[in-house]
Each structure stands twice: as C-alpha cells, then as structure tokens.
Amino acid sequence: MERTKFESSIGESYVKAELPSGLKIYIMEKPKYSSAYAVFGTKYGSIDTAFSKNGGEQISVPAGIAHFLEHKLFESEDGDAFTRYAKTGGYANAFTSFDRTCYLFSCSDKFYENLEILLDFVQNPYFSEETVKKEQGIIGQEIRMYDDSAAWRVMFNMLSCMYENHPVKIDIAGTVESIAEINADLLYECYNTFYNPSNMFICVVGNIDTEKVLKQIEASIKEKPAVTIERGEFFEPQTVDKHYIEQKLEVAIPMFCYGYKQKIATPNRRLKSKVCAALLLELICGETSPLYARLVREGLINDEFDTEYFTGHGYAAVIFSGESQNPKRVAQEIEAEIERIRVEGIDKKLLSAVRSAMYGEAIRRFDSVEGVAMQLIECAMTDSDLFEELKLLKSVTAEDVYKRLDLFDSENSVLSVINPKN
C-alpha cells in the first residue's frame, strides 16, 4: 500500500494511501475530538448518463439512475444498513450530486463496527425487479415533492435555460418518466462500472487510529480489475437558450438565481481557478463588499443572498442567488458592478480584507470533523492537497483574480425567478 503524509503550518496533518486496486484513502486523526466521520464515495453522479467501460461501446442510461442506485444500495436480502447502524448507534446517510455519490456515517462510539457496516453494504449490491419497482414509487414521490420546492426549481429552471444538451440541466433524481425505465440489470451495469475501487475513495476524520483504519479497509476491500471509464461528451452550444425564466410557487418573497454560463467546453477545475473565482465573487457582492451593503440597505436582498462558482465535467457557471422583491434590479446592479471592476480594476485593500476573511474561514473548517471530511472528498474528486487552498489564499495576486472576470459575459447570463402565486 502506497502512502504519503501531508503536514501543514497550522498543525494539522493527514495521510493519503492507495491500495493496489486504485482505491484512494484519506485519513485525518483528531485525537482530541469525541466523534468520527467516515465517507465511502464514488466518482459517479447524475450527469453520468452516457459512458463506456474498458473501451467498449458507449451506452446511455436513464436520468436519475445514480440517485436511484444510492437508495437501493442500503438494502440487502437480510435487511438494510440503517437497521444495522441502529444497533451500533451510528448516524448514517448518503447523497448523490452531479458528479459523485457518497455514503457516510458519524459516531462517538463503536467506530470500527460502523466502518465494517459501511465497507460491507457499499460493496454488496442486491437488486431485484420487485424491489426496483417499489423504489420507483418512492422516488417518484420525492421527485414530485421537489417539483414544488422553490429553492430547487429556481436553480434547475436556470440550468434548463443555460444548457441545451448537458444532463446537468436535469434534476439529480431524474424524472418520473426516466426512472420508470430503470431495471435491475441497468443498476448492476452502472454499479459494476462506477463502483469499482479504482473509481472510489474513502475519507475518515476524527478520534481514530490511522494504522488500524488502513488495515481494516485493506482487509475488507474486494479486489477487482480496474476499469477504464469514458464519460459521454455532450455537444453544448456556448450560448444560452433563454435569458429569463419565471415560475409561480408558494413563496412569501420572490426567489432568484442569476447565473453566467462559462463559454469554454472544458472548464478549468484547478483549485487556483476556483480560489480566484471565490475571491472575485466576494469582491463583487460578498458581505464586505460595497454593493452588498448597498443592496441590503435598499432592501433589495437579505441574508439569504449567496454566491457560487459551479463547475464540473463539461459545465461551469457563476451563480448569485437569494430573495428579492426586485430580482431584475439586483441582476442589473451585479452586472454594473462587474463592469465597474472591469474598468477600474481590483480594489487591493478590499482584496486583502476578503483574503484574510476567507483564510480564517478555511482555518475554522478544521474544527469540524464533518467539515474536514467534505474537504477530503473534494481532494479525492480533484486529486488535490487539503492544505493547498491555504497556500493559494496567501499567494494569489490581484492580477490572478482580475483574470477571472472572463467568467462574466452578459450575453450568456440567465435570470431565473420564482414569484409568489398570489
């Protein structure tokens, strides 16, 4: 087993190991903490609706199958994993996003018993046509519930205007029609492709012993030949389909997502690019920015306002979201501020303040075992170093941040609004 220890100037360290099967393991000991957190994940999400394995023919699968698989994996012929966790006192959960599926637990006792459950059920799928049909009804209800969620719809309405062909525009759970096409054979096909150790990772943080964890994982992981996965490429126009979309739902205040679609086919996912984008978003409309203060003072936004650099395989966008009685005015003010910075340049004094605030926030994340685990998932997904962000926050320049203005093109902007029904 190959392993490397990474240390930081803030007194934290972690171990990254790799098994011969290709499974990557990230472990950070936090001996002063009473709890532990573990994640078993795969680089497989809702956008993976077309793929080929080991150079074979490309196949297409129904939207929502990654999320469907996440639900079904907890089940076995003998019961389900939640029942087993109830006996050990572990809190278990899972989630599927656009590019990953993760199974996790947290506990303050019996960590190694809980880890045994995690390693077991994720590696032992059990699907039958009868249980698949039952799950179609359950997930169908979940999809209909999200159809009435304003926070969910305002985001996906925006993505539906931004993207013509990329599956990022489709709800993570799929549609009622798409999940009706799922069967046990398709679930096994996707499982055997994406749940291969070479495409997976394990992250462990907390009051644990690194050597003991590594030995338990090494003894439990099933050896399988590595797979080569070719993900489908979706021809995506560089322009957006529509600039504005609105819908009426049960909300008290209008909600909005205002986004800029990035024009490049393969977005830059390097951490430096993300850090510079995050700094720029704070300069434009972060809590310490002049624009944010003015919009709050004028009652145009409230503390629900947020920003995000949203990027993955084949897609990227910058998003401003929140609540406002006048979303169009907010979008106009954001666009005007971007143009002002483009002309006047970066305020270096404000950049220094924003950089310090982000550095402090990055340090505080190490105080949470869950927070560190989520960061380690990002390391696994992007093959980056957990401490690289801290270094970049000290080293990036105003010129580096200014270059990220290439993210903003008003011709590629979309405003999505959810208005009250009455």
Side-chain angles (χ1 to χ4, degrees):
M1 182 192 305
E2 298 180 11
R3 70 175 73 183
T4 307
K5 185 172 184 178
F6 296 85
E7 298 180 320
S8 73
S9 58
I10 60 172
E12 301 282 1
S13 65
Y14 71 99
V15 169
K16 176 185 176 184
E18 184 172 340
L19 296 181
S21 62
L23 177 75
K24 292 181 174 60
I25 307 164
Y26 300 77
I27 303 174
M28 176 179 279
E29 291 188 24
K30 304 280 274 185
K32 294 181 180 179
Y33 285 64
S34 60
S35 61
Y37 200 98
V39 180
F40 198 171
T42 175
K43 299 176 183 179
Y44 174 47
S46 65
I47 66 171
D48 295 312
T49 56
F51 58 88
S52 63
K53 180 172 67 174
N54 295 330
E57 186 176 335
Q58 180 170 292
I59 67 167
S60 296
V61 295
I65 197 166
H67 172 260
F68 201 104
L69 183 51
E70 173 220 310
H71 274 231
K72 295 304 301 172
L73 208 54
F74 280 94
E75 297 181 8
S76 70
E77 289 185 89
D78 304 321
D80 64 69
F82 288 113
T83 302
R84 297 169 67 185
Y85 278 121
K87 295 176 181 177
T88 60
Y91 166 77
N93 208 341
F95 66 86
T96 302
S97 66
F98 296 104
D99 61 359
R100 70 200 70 177
T101 306
C102 294
Y103 304 83
L104 57 93
F105 74 83
S106 60
C107 63
S108 55
D109 191 24
K110 298 182 179 179
F111 172 81
Y112 299 99
E113 291 93 326
N114 285 307
L115 181 59
E116 180 183 355
I117 297 169
L118 180 68
L119 295 170
D120 179 43
F121 83 83
V122 174
Q123 294 188 91
N124 289 287
Y126 168 71
F127 314 125
S128 69
E129 293 304 332
E130 181 182 355
T131 60
V132 168
K133 188 172 182 179
K134 178 182 176 182
E135 196 67 36
Q136 284 168 337
I138 294 170
I139 294 181
Q141 290 179 336
E142 182 180 336
I143 291 169
R144 284 186 283 270
M145 178 184 71
Y146 277 108
D147 283 342
D148 294 326
S149 167
W152 196 252
R153 290 270 43 96
V154 73
M155 172 73 166
F156 277 95
N157 288 351
M158 181 194 70
L159 293 176
S160 72
C161 292
M162 276 188 178
Y163 293 95
E164 183 177 324
N165 300 314
H166 198 289
V168 73
K169 67 184 285 185
I170 303 171
D171 284 16
I172 289 169
T175 66
V176 173
E177 293 76 20
S178 70
I179 65 168
E181 301 173 19
I182 295 173
N183 57 43
D185 288 342
L186 280 175
L187 289 172
Y188 278 116
E189 177 72 34
C190 292
Y191 180 89
N192 291 327
T193 299
F194 293 100
Y195 283 71
N196 184 282
S198 61
N199 192 54
M200 302 184 77
F201 53 86
I202 294 175
C203 306
V204 179
V205 185
N207 188 0
I208 44 86
D209 179 87
T210 297
E211 293 304 318
K212 190 172 180 180
V213 171
L214 287 174
K215 286 179 181 177
Q216 183 174 353
I217 293 173
E218 188 173 27
S220 301
I221 293 298
K222 295 181 178 180
E223 289 297 322
K224 299 178 181 178
V227 299
T228 302
I229 301 169
E230 286 290 332
R231 287 169 165 82
E233 295 294 336
F234 302 90
F235 171 73
E236 182 60 45
Q238 298 213 349
T239 55
V240 300
D241 182 42
K242 289 193 295 186
H243 292 286
Y244 182 76
I245 184 171
E246 67 175 70
Q247 182 180 0
K248 290 188 176 183
L249 290 171
E250 296 289 350
V251 295
I253 305 173
M255 300 178 67
F256 70 90
C257 272
Y258 179 52
Y260 292 80
K261 178 181 180 181
Q262 197 170 352
K263 278 190 173 181
I264 54 179
T266 307
N268 186 345
R269 299 188 69 190
R270 291 185 299 112
L271 188 56
K272 182 177 180 180
S273 173
K274 293 183 178 182
V275 167
C276 289
L279 285 166
L280 182 56
L281 286 171
E282 287 297 308
L283 291 171
I284 294 168
C285 206
E287 290 186 7
T288 59
S289 70
L291 178 59
Y292 181 90
R294 181 161 58 81
L295 293 177
V296 171
R297 187 170 61 250
E298 295 178 11
L300 285 167
I301 62 172
N302 55 28
D303 57 9
E304 294 296 317
F305 185 82
D306 200 8
T307 62
E308 179 185 3
Y309 181 40
F310 172 74
T311 180
H313 181 71
Y315 64 89
V318 180
I319 302 169
F320 302 86
S321 60
E323 298 176 341
S324 178
Q325 295 291 357
N326 194 342
K328 290 183 179 179
R329 169 82 184 282
V330 174
Q332 290 167 359
E333 294 289 349
I334 290 170
E335 175 66 24
E337 181 65 4
I338 291 166
E339 291 308 307
R340 185 194 67 77
I341 294 173
R342 207 185 298 274
V343 172
E344 298 180 9
I346 299 294
D347 182 333
K348 293 185 179 180
K349 185 177 179 180
L350 180 57
L351 175 60
S352 178
V354 166
R355 187 203 307 270
S356 296
M358 286 182 61
Y359 188 87
E361 182 182 343
I363 294 289
R364 286 190 293 274
R365 285 200 293 267
F366 287 97
D367 292 333
S368 161
V369 292
E370 179 180 357
V372 175
M374 293 301 113
Q375 290 182 82
L376 287 175
I377 291 173
E378 287 299 319
C379 292
M381 291 295 301
T382 59
D383 196 25
S384 58
D385 172 15
L386 181 61
F387 305 127
E388 187 179 352
E389 181 183 4
L390 296 176
K391 299 172 187 174
L392 286 168
L393 283 170
K394 286 187 172 183
S395 64
V396 294
T397 65
E399 290 73 21
D400 292 329
V401 176
Y402 184 85
K403 288 177 182 177
R404 292 278 66 198
L405 285 166
D406 66 352
L407 293 168
F408 302 96
D409 181 349
S410 59
E411 293 183 1
N412 271 359
S413 66
V414 175
L415 176 60
S416 168
V417 178
I418 300 293
N419 281 315
K421 279 191 172 180
N422 298 317

